[in-house]
Amino acid sequence: MPSVVCADARAGVVVPCVKDRDRLLNDAITAGNDRPGTRWEIALQPGCAYTVTRPYGRINALAAVAGDIRISSRGPSAAVIARSTARGTADFRVLEVEMGGRLTLDRITVRGGSFGSGGGIFNNFGTLTLHGSTVESNRAREFGGGIATNGERAVTRLTGTTVRGNSAGFGGGGLFGNGGTTTLTGSGVVSNRATGGVGGGIFNNGRLSALHLTDTAVTGNQAAETAGGILNGGTVTTLRSPVTGNLPNNCAGSSPAVPGCAD
């Protein structure tokens, strides 16, 4: 195990940028899962890529988060958690939050995941929070190329975070909400694609799904069918959050309509 650190009575580990650092990161997440009720801090080295070639979980690069875990990096560049792009690498997503789990990413880039839904991150009835982070270049065969949120009690919050260059085969190239609440503040959903479906940027699916945007631009996204920006089927609120420059339209087909969005 990496060395243990403590700050403000919070236990945790530092995972340095060394050989087998992906294994050390997986061990650190497992250790956090084994401490229910305790906030577990995992510090990564800025600018270092923690790349997984063979998944430690059956479908995830790293152990699914069941505890209360915060992964962070500090410095001029963010740490990266990624699936390897080497030829022959199997499909697997990068991170998953299980029912009741809490994951916070602070200045972390999540990259290169590839799976059925939630290629980058899958929040399954848990709580997912991203600060100053990036979710990019992930792919889902079905829904939620960047992030998929599932379950009426699931909570996903993005602050100062960019979701870009992700893709999904059916819907929600950047973000997919299937129940629960997704809130973006001071963030961006940019250049994502629904390659065979709807909601290139965001697909907010079903009456149990709530989407809240504040100071967040949804732009430059594309869908094969409709709503290159946002396809809404639940509840959506927007405040100073332009949905513009998406193809083949911005929000056409949404019911209810996306406030302030011109198709």
Side-chain angles (χ1 to χ4, degrees):
M1 284 290 295
S3 59
V4 174
V5 298
C6 294
D8 299 328
R10 292 177 177 177
V13 296
V14 176
V15 183
C17 194
V18 296
K19 184 178 180 181
D20 294 333
R21 54 189 175 270
D22 58 323
R23 178 183 59 80
L24 295 178
L25 175 54
N26 187 70
D27 290 347
I29 293 173
T30 300
N33 288 339
D34 291 339
R35 293 172 176 257
T38 300
R39 166 62 72 88
W40 185 251
E41 303 275 351
I42 301 174
L44 306 185
Q45 182 168 319
C48 182
Y50 296 75
T51 302
V52 179
T53 301
R54 295 183 179 179
Y56 291 92
R58 185 172 60 86
I59 58 176
N60 304 312
L62 302 164
V65 172
D68 185 357
I69 295 174
R70 178 176 179 265
I71 305 175
S72 65
S73 68
R74 287 286 183 267
S77 57
V80 178
I81 304 175
R83 167 183 165 271
S84 171
T85 59
R87 180 173 299 191
T89 301
D91 284 349
F92 51 87
R93 73 167 59 95
V94 180
L95 293 165
E96 178 176 349
V97 187
E98 293 184 344
M99 181 181 294
R102 303 177 68 90
L103 173 63
T104 299
L105 300 179
D106 190 351
R107 199 164 171 72
I108 298 294
T109 295
V110 177
R111 180 184 297 156
S114 179
F115 201 65
S117 290
I121 309 173
F122 185 47
N123 180 12
N124 191 28
F125 284 85
T127 299
L128 172 66
T129 304
L130 284 77
H131 298 291
S133 294
T134 303
V135 180
E136 65 181 12
S137 304
N138 301 282
R139 179 178 68 90
R141 294 189 300 273
E142 298 171 357
F143 299 98
I147 300 172
T149 298
N150 181 60
E152 65 273 15
R153 294 184 300 277
V155 175
T156 296
R157 306 185 188 97
L158 280 65
T159 303
T161 291
T162 301
V163 179
R164 66 187 178 202
N166 304 284
S167 67
F170 294 163
L175 298 163
F176 175 67
N178 187 46
T181 302
T182 299
T183 302
L184 289 82
T185 304
S187 297
V189 181
V190 182
S191 301
N192 302 282
R193 298 183 64 193
T195 56
V198 297
I202 303 172
F203 184 8
N204 190 45
N205 180 51
R207 63 183 182 85
L208 297 178
S209 297
L211 173 67
H212 305 294
L213 304 177
T214 300
D215 297 320
T216 293
V218 180
T219 186
N221 304 284
Q222 185 172 352
E225 297 180 12
T226 192
I230 301 174
L231 183 67
N232 179 52
T235 301
V236 61
T237 63
T238 62
L239 179 63
R240 299 184 301 272
S241 296
V243 185
T244 57
N246 303 284
L247 295 173
N249 50 64
N250 290 311
C251 306
S254 293
S255 179
V258 176
C261 181
D263 292 340

